[in-house]
């Protein structure tokens, strides 16, 4: 067999092995992402907590779930993470005018910053129900486990995303996990 033929076969074989390895890594990443972002473990809210915490952005669905949990007697207080200005700021959300609701802007305005705000307002030995949306549940749990002093139960408000938004969330949440590993808690 000529040397050129052996070299070509060796190159093809290496390319097949590399392609198979890339495919395996890709399948593993997608399956991990699907279980973490699309179908995170479902947690039931505790029977009683000290606060129901809506983390940003404060969407109608998240606020409605917080109010539903409050009516069910889970907690008396609702804490909402809000931006400093815009439609979702404390000045523009009518829910922020209610006596049992505190709307506060965390610094930094990140999930870790939101856990830091939770620590400032509620210490160790307290319980918080944190409301976010489905793609953010796993990362919120991860950051809460590392950064929050209170015992945190993370639940998702109903989420409806099209395929493009799911793909965006897959990339965004993966980047957020990487950042959480590198940066840590504020």
């Amino acid at each position: 067999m000529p040397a050129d033929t052996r070299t070509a076969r060796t190159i093809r074989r290496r390319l097949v092995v590399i392609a198979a390895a890339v495919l395996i890594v890709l399948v593993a990443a997608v399956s991990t992402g699907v279980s973490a972002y699309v179908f995170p473990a479902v947690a039931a809210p505790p029977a009683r907590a000290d606060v129901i915490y809506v983390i940003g952005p404060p969407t109608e669905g998240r606020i409605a779930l917080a109010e539903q949990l409050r009516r069910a007697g889970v907690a008396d207080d609702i804490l909402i993470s809000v931006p400093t200005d815009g439609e979702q700021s404390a000045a523009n959300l009518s829910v922020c005018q209610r006596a049992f609701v505190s709307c506060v802007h965390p610094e930094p305005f990140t999930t870790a910053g939101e856990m830091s705000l939770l620590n400032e307002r509620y210490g160790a030995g307290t319980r918080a129900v944190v409301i976010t949306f489905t793609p953010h549940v796993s990362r919120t749990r991860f950051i809460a486990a590392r950064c929050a002093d209170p015992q945190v139960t993370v639940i998702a408000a109903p989420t409806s995303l099209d395929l493009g938004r799911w793909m965006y969330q897959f990339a965004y949440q993966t980047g957020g996990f990487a950042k959480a590993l590198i940066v840590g808690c504020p």
Side-chain angles (χ1 to χ4, degrees):
M1 181 178 307
D4 289 345
T5 305
R6 280 188 296 224
T7 303
R9 283 186 179 169
T10 301
I11 291 171
R12 276 194 300 265
R13 197 172 294 135
R14 286 182 183 159
L15 288 174
V16 167
V17 168
I18 290 170
V22 167
L23 183 62
I24 289 168
V25 168
L26 187 61
V27 167
V30 168
S31 65
T32 300
V34 166
S35 67
Y37 309 138
V38 181
F39 303 110
V42 176
R48 190 76 183 134
D50 298 289
V51 65
I52 300 164
Y53 188 18
V54 175
I55 61 174
T59 63
E60 288 180 23
R62 295 178 202 190
I63 292 169
L65 179 55
E67 291 174 324
Q68 175 187 342
L69 292 173
R70 183 180 184 281
R71 283 190 303 274
V74 172
D76 296 327
D77 297 327
I78 296 175
L79 176 63
I80 302 176
S81 173
V82 295
T84 54
D85 54 21
E87 281 184 33
Q88 297 174 329
S89 67
N92 292 319
L93 287 176
S94 61
V95 70
C96 294
Q97 309 313 311
R98 297 185 182 153
F100 56 87
V101 176
S102 298
C103 293
V104 183
H105 176 75
E107 281 297 333
F109 195 43
T110 62
T111 306
E114 289 168 327
M115 293 305 121
S116 180
L117 174 64
L118 183 63
N119 293 342
E120 290 171 19
R121 299 185 69 106
Y122 298 87
T126 60
R127 290 176 295 179
V129 175
V130 174
I131 300 173
T132 186
F133 78 134
T134 303
H136 192 221
V137 167
S138 294
R139 184 164 63 95
T140 301
R141 285 182 180 142
F142 176 77
I143 293 170
R146 294 180 72 194
C147 302
D149 295 335
Q151 178 184 338
V152 172
T153 301
V154 181
I155 61 173
T159 304
S160 177
L161 301 174
D162 61 28
L163 180 60
R165 290 193 185 269
W166 276 112
M167 290 171 48
Y168 171 79
Q169 284 300 322
F170 185 94
Y172 185 86
Q173 299 302 331
T174 301
F177 264 113
K179 179 184 171 189
L181 285 169
I182 294 166
V183 174
C185 305

